Amino acid sequence: VALRGGVCSDEVSLPVEFSKSTLCAVELAEQPTPRYAYEGAKVLVDGLVGNRNYRTGRWLGFHGADCVATIDLGSEQSVSRLAFNVCVNKDDGCLDARGVNVEVSTDGEHWTTAFEQAIAPMTEEQDHGVYAHAYEFAPAEGRWVRVSVQSERCIPSWHAYAAGGAGFL
């Protein structure tokens, strides 16, 4: 709440989703499009969940590039689950992911693939919204986790922007 002149504001709260990566150090291989960079990589691990509006600062935007994030868990841990969300707004060319890859490392230099999954391309019938992705895989040990979320490199032919351009992730 905020107090001003003896007047109390409405209570404001936001839910926080915790995981092993919450508030860990994170680095991006490529920076997001400047217009959609907001607070940078830390948005990916702050525990706050974005809504259907990709302009709120709760999302990062990558145009024609994958989101490759390396998370330092601080100590070697077992990793066996990945969850992430994608904000889809087809009218503005914001499309769902096309694949995901998880790698782990105990030294930050040598990487082992722990999980890979292709994601089907979007169809014209699919709606706008927050698309939740969650995957379970065999436990892998590592201090660093590199998550690569592949973007739609070429907007589908059914889309109004289908002149060969890339979509936003």
mmCIF file of all heavy atoms in Angstrom, residues 2-24:
data_model
loop_
_atom_site.group_PDB
_atom_site.id
_atom_site.type_symbol
_atom_site.label_atom_id
_atom_site.label_comp_id
_atom_site.label_asym_id
_atom_site.label_seq_id
_atom_site.Cartn_x
_atom_site.Cartn_y
_atom_site.Cartn_z
ATOM 1 N N ALA A 2 0.306 2.313 -0.414
ATOM 2 C CA ALA A 2 0.991 3.609 -0.370
ATOM 3 C C ALA A 2 0.170 4.535 0.519
ATOM 4 O O ALA A 2 -1.058 4.520 0.487
ATOM 5 C CB ALA A 2 1.108 4.189 -1.766
ATOM 6 N N LEU A 3 0.863 5.308 1.339
ATOM 7 C CA LEU A 3 0.215 6.288 2.203
ATOM 8 C C LEU A 3 0.629 7.679 1.747
ATOM 9 O O LEU A 3 1.814 7.950 1.545
ATOM 10 C CB LEU A 3 0.626 6.081 3.657
ATOM 11 C CG LEU A 3 0.252 4.734 4.270
ATOM 12 C CD1 LEU A 3 0.881 4.601 5.643
ATOM 13 C CD2 LEU A 3 -1.255 4.607 4.355
ATOM 14 N N ARG A 4 -0.372 8.542 1.604
ATOM 15 C CA ARG A 4 -0.085 9.921 1.202
ATOM 16 C C ARG A 4 -1.133 10.833 1.808
ATOM 17 O O ARG A 4 -2.320 10.665 1.560
ATOM 18 C CB ARG A 4 -0.096 10.041 -0.311
ATOM 19 C CG ARG A 4 0.291 11.401 -0.793
ATOM 20 C CD ARG A 4 0.388 11.414 -2.299
ATOM 21 N NE ARG A 4 0.937 12.669 -2.743
ATOM 22 C CZ ARG A 4 1.057 13.003 -3.985
ATOM 23 N NH1 ARG A 4 0.684 12.157 -4.919
ATOM 24 N NH2 ARG A 4 1.550 14.174 -4.323
ATOM 25 N N GLY A 5 -0.689 11.778 2.616
ATOM 26 C CA GLY A 5 -1.624 12.715 3.230
ATOM 27 C C GLY A 5 -2.658 12.029 4.097
ATOM 28 O O GLY A 5 -3.808 12.459 4.146
ATOM 29 N N GLY A 6 -2.244 10.924 4.729
ATOM 30 C CA GLY A 6 -3.178 10.201 5.585
ATOM 31 C C GLY A 6 -4.150 9.295 4.842
ATOM 32 O O GLY A 6 -5.010 8.668 5.441
ATOM 33 N N VAL A 7 -4.034 9.245 3.513
ATOM 34 C CA VAL A 7 -4.927 8.402 2.706
ATOM 35 C C VAL A 7 -4.152 7.157 2.287
ATOM 36 O O VAL A 7 -3.012 7.233 1.821
ATOM 37 C CB VAL A 7 -5.428 9.166 1.463
ATOM 38 C CG1 VAL A 7 -6.295 8.266 0.597
ATOM 39 C CG2 VAL A 7 -6.184 10.419 1.870
ATOM 40 N N CYS A 8 -4.796 6.021 2.449
ATOM 41 C CA CYS A 8 -4.189 4.730 2.123
ATOM 42 C C CYS A 8 -4.693 4.271 0.752
ATOM 43 O O CYS A 8 -5.898 4.276 0.485
ATOM 44 C CB CYS A 8 -4.584 3.709 3.200
ATOM 45 S SG CYS A 8 -3.795 2.115 3.000
ATOM 46 N N SER A 9 -3.744 3.867 -0.112
ATOM 47 C CA SER A 9 -4.118 3.380 -1.450
ATOM 48 C C SER A 9 -4.695 1.971 -1.359
ATOM 49 O O SER A 9 -4.684 1.338 -0.302
ATOM 50 C CB SER A 9 -2.891 3.354 -2.354
ATOM 51 O OG SER A 9 -2.034 2.294 -1.978
ATOM 52 N N ASP A 10 -5.136 1.487 -2.499
ATOM 53 C CA ASP A 10 -5.546 0.092 -2.585
ATOM 54 C C ASP A 10 -4.324 -0.787 -2.380
ATOM 55 O O ASP A 10 -3.188 -0.386 -2.652
ATOM 56 C CB ASP A 10 -6.143 -0.219 -3.954
ATOM 57 C CG ASP A 10 -7.481 0.468 -4.177
ATOM 58 O OD1 ASP A 10 -8.162 0.782 -3.178
ATOM 59 O OD2 ASP A 10 -7.834 0.684 -5.348
ATOM 60 N N GLU A 11 -4.548 -1.989 -1.920
ATOM 61 C CA GLU A 11 -3.468 -2.950 -1.767
ATOM 62 C C GLU A 11 -3.100 -3.486 -3.142
ATOM 63 O O GLU A 11 -3.966 -3.795 -3.953
ATOM 64 C CB GLU A 11 -3.919 -4.106 -0.873
ATOM 65 C CG GLU A 11 -2.846 -5.115 -0.613
ATOM 66 C CD GLU A 11 -3.297 -6.211 0.335
ATOM 67 O OE1 GLU A 11 -4.132 -5.942 1.206
ATOM 68 O OE2 GLU A 11 -2.800 -7.327 0.176
ATOM 69 N N VAL A 12 -1.814 -3.557 -3.422
ATOM 70 C CA VAL A 12 -1.329 -4.071 -4.688
ATOM 71 C C VAL A 12 -0.390 -5.234 -4.400
ATOM 72 O O VAL A 12 0.516 -5.118 -3.578
ATOM 73 C CB VAL A 12 -0.570 -2.984 -5.483
ATOM 74 C CG1 VAL A 12 -0.011 -3.557 -6.773
ATOM 75 C CG2 VAL A 12 -1.474 -1.800 -5.773
ATOM 76 N N SER A 13 -0.625 -6.350 -5.053
ATOM 77 C CA SER A 13 0.271 -7.485 -4.887
ATOM 78 C C SER A 13 0.379 -8.233 -6.206
ATOM 79 O O SER A 13 -0.529 -8.189 -7.033
ATOM 80 C CB SER A 13 -0.224 -8.426 -3.787
ATOM 81 O OG SER A 13 -1.444 -9.023 -4.169
ATOM 82 N N LEU A 14 1.490 -8.888 -6.391
ATOM 83 C CA LEU A 14 1.723 -9.702 -7.568
ATOM 84 C C LEU A 14 2.179 -11.079 -7.119
ATOM 85 O O LEU A 14 3.039 -11.191 -6.250
ATOM 86 C CB LEU A 14 2.819 -9.080 -8.445
ATOM 87 C CG LEU A 14 2.524 -7.720 -9.056
ATOM 88 C CD1 LEU A 14 3.784 -7.159 -9.709
ATOM 89 C CD2 LEU A 14 1.415 -7.838 -10.074
ATOM 90 N N PRO A 15 1.626 -12.123 -7.726
ATOM 91 C CA PRO A 15 2.103 -13.461 -7.367
ATOM 92 C C PRO A 15 3.501 -13.699 -7.931
ATOM 93 O O PRO A 15 3.850 -13.204 -9.003
ATOM 94 C CB PRO A 15 1.074 -14.385 -8.033
ATOM 95 C CG PRO A 15 0.499 -13.574 -9.147
ATOM 96 C CD PRO A 15 0.560 -12.137 -8.713
ATOM 97 N N VAL A 16 4.311 -14.427 -7.193
ATOM 98 C CA VAL A 16 5.656 -14.787 -7.624
ATOM 99 C C VAL A 16 5.723 -16.302 -7.717
ATOM 100 O O VAL A 16 5.346 -17.011 -6.784
ATOM 101 C CB VAL A 16 6.722 -14.255 -6.632
ATOM 102 C CG1 VAL A 16 8.116 -14.714 -7.038
ATOM 103 C CG2 VAL A 16 6.653 -12.741 -6.531
ATOM 104 N N GLU A 17 6.180 -16.792 -8.867
ATOM 105 C CA GLU A 17 6.361 -18.231 -9.056
ATOM 106 C C GLU A 17 7.835 -18.561 -8.834
ATOM 107 O O GLU A 17 8.702 -18.018 -9.512
ATOM 108 C CB GLU A 17 5.913 -18.638 -10.453
ATOM 109 C CG GLU A 17 4.413 -18.501 -10.644
ATOM 110 C CD GLU A 17 3.932 -19.101 -11.950
ATOM 111 O OE1 GLU A 17 4.718 -19.785 -12.646
ATOM 112 O OE2 GLU A 17 2.756 -18.888 -12.270
ATOM 113 N N PHE A 18 8.096 -19.443 -7.875
ATOM 114 C CA PHE A 18 9.470 -19.796 -7.533
ATOM 115 C C PHE A 18 9.899 -21.088 -8.219
ATOM 116 O O PHE A 18 9.105 -22.009 -8.394
ATOM 117 C CB PHE A 18 9.612 -19.956 -6.016
ATOM 118 C CG PHE A 18 9.522 -18.647 -5.284
ATOM 119 C CD1 PHE A 18 8.317 -18.208 -4.766
ATOM 120 C CD2 PHE A 18 10.646 -17.853 -5.132
ATOM 121 C CE1 PHE A 18 8.221 -16.991 -4.107
ATOM 122 C CE2 PHE A 18 10.571 -16.637 -4.473
ATOM 123 C CZ PHE A 18 9.355 -16.203 -3.955
ATOM 124 N N SER A 19 11.165 -21.121 -8.607
ATOM 125 C CA SER A 19 11.798 -22.320 -9.161
ATOM 126 C C SER A 19 13.273 -22.260 -8.785
ATOM 127 O O SER A 19 13.715 -21.307 -8.140
ATOM 128 C CB SER A 19 11.636 -22.340 -10.687
ATOM 129 O OG SER A 19 12.456 -21.354 -11.284
ATOM 130 N N LYS A 20 14.026 -23.250 -9.219
ATOM 131 C CA LYS A 20 15.468 -23.242 -8.938
ATOM 132 C C LYS A 20 16.156 -22.035 -9.568
ATOM 133 O O LYS A 20 17.189 -21.580 -9.094
ATOM 134 C CB LYS A 20 16.124 -24.527 -9.450
ATOM 135 C CG LYS A 20 15.796 -25.733 -8.632
ATOM 136 C CD LYS A 20 16.537 -26.950 -9.136
ATOM 137 C CE LYS A 20 16.181 -28.155 -8.257
ATOM 138 N NZ LYS A 20 16.944 -29.342 -8.644
ATOM 139 N N SER A 21 15.593 -21.510 -10.636
ATOM 140 C CA SER A 21 16.242 -20.406 -11.344
ATOM 141 C C SER A 21 15.819 -19.021 -10.847
ATOM 142 O O SER A 21 16.421 -18.019 -11.238
ATOM 143 C CB SER A 21 15.942 -20.502 -12.842
ATOM 144 O OG SER A 21 14.567 -20.281 -13.089
ATOM 145 N N THR A 22 14.835 -18.939 -9.964
ATOM 146 C CA THR A 22 14.325 -17.646 -9.521
ATOM 147 C C THR A 22 15.446 -16.809 -8.896
ATOM 148 O O THR A 22 16.136 -17.254 -7.980
ATOM 149 C CB THR A 22 13.165 -17.817 -8.521
ATOM 150 O OG1 THR A 22 12.149 -18.610 -9.139
ATOM 151 C CG2 THR A 22 12.572 -16.473 -8.130
ATOM 152 N N LEU A 23 15.617 -15.622 -9.435
ATOM 153 C CA LEU A 23 16.594 -14.620 -9.001
ATOM 154 C C LEU A 23 18.052 -15.054 -9.167
ATOM 155 O O LEU A 23 18.950 -14.434 -8.610
ATOM 156 C CB LEU A 23 16.322 -14.167 -7.567
ATOM 157 C CG LEU A 23 14.933 -13.562 -7.344
ATOM 158 C CD1 LEU A 23 14.760 -13.174 -5.884
ATOM 159 C CD2 LEU A 23 14.676 -12.383 -8.264
ATOM 160 N N CYS A 24 18.299 -16.099 -9.959
ATOM 161 C CA CYS A 24 19.667 -16.496 -10.261
ATOM 162 C C CYS A 24 20.254 -15.572 -11.325
ATOM 163 O O CYS A 24 19.537 -14.909 -12.064
ATOM 164 C CB CYS A 24 19.703 -17.936 -10.786
ATOM 165 S SG CYS A 24 19.409 -19.177 -9.515
#
